[in-house]
Amino acid sequence: MINLELAARMTRAAVDKAAEIGALVSAAVVDQGGHLVHFQRMDKAEIAGPTLAVDKAFTAVAHRIETAELASLTQPGADLWGLQANGGGRFVVFGGGVPCWHDGVVVGAVGVSGGTTEEDVACARAGLAVFESFLSDQSAP
């Protein structure tokens, strides 16, 4: 479903959004198995961004939820407390990872890291918008 060309357009949209809002980010798109399909890192973006962007996308696929929604669910005493310590440390529980849904199934995700949480979420959603536009184009007669 998410091929290299589409994934490249999705990361480009995320990076373009970052440039628009003045953030320096890394952006990743993974397939439904959490495997990296495409990645971009803006010049001068933080060194932690590449790992976090990929892991945010992986987390969004693995748990079928935006990583921003996991923040409250993983606090001490909450239903998913301790999640962030599992999966070999790959699960990221703060904003910037968004799943891509098609016909009730998660078929991939976008992960962005390097800005504030709010900036990362906005950039990831810009990538998601490209995916959603692709789906709309595919279903048009």
Side-chain angles (χ1 to χ4, degrees):
M1 164 79 37
I2 297 181
N3 62 23
L4 181 60
E5 179 184 343
L6 176 57
R9 290 177 30 220
M10 293 165 69
T11 60
R12 170 53 47 201
V15 166
D16 286 350
K17 180 65 174 180
E20 175 187 317
I21 62 177
L24 295 172
V25 303
S26 294
V29 172
V30 300
D31 64 17
Q32 63 189 5
H35 305 287
L36 183 62
V37 178
H38 198 267
F39 174 83
Q40 289 192 58
R41 178 181 175 269
M42 295 173 75
D43 293 339
K44 300 181 183 178
E46 68 178 7
I47 62 172
T51 300
L52 287 171
V54 173
D55 288 352
K56 286 179 183 186
F58 176 84
T59 302
V61 165
H63 297 284
R64 300 181 312 258
I65 190 172
E66 286 199 27
T67 58
E69 294 178 48
L70 289 171
S72 63
L73 296 171
T74 56
Q75 296 302 307
D79 289 346
L80 297 178
W81 166 242
L83 175 68
Q84 65 277 15
N86 289 282
R90 282 198 79 182
F91 297 141
V92 179
V93 296
F94 47 89
V98 295
C100 300
W101 290 87
H102 177 63
D103 289 337
V105 176
V106 174
V107 296
V110 183
V112 175
S113 185
T116 65
T117 301
E118 183 178 287
E119 290 168 339
D120 289 353
V121 169
C123 295
R125 288 187 179 154
L128 177 64
V130 170
F131 174 75
E132 291 172 342
S133 176
F134 168 79
L135 290 181
S136 293
D137 292 346
Q138 295 301 304
S139 64

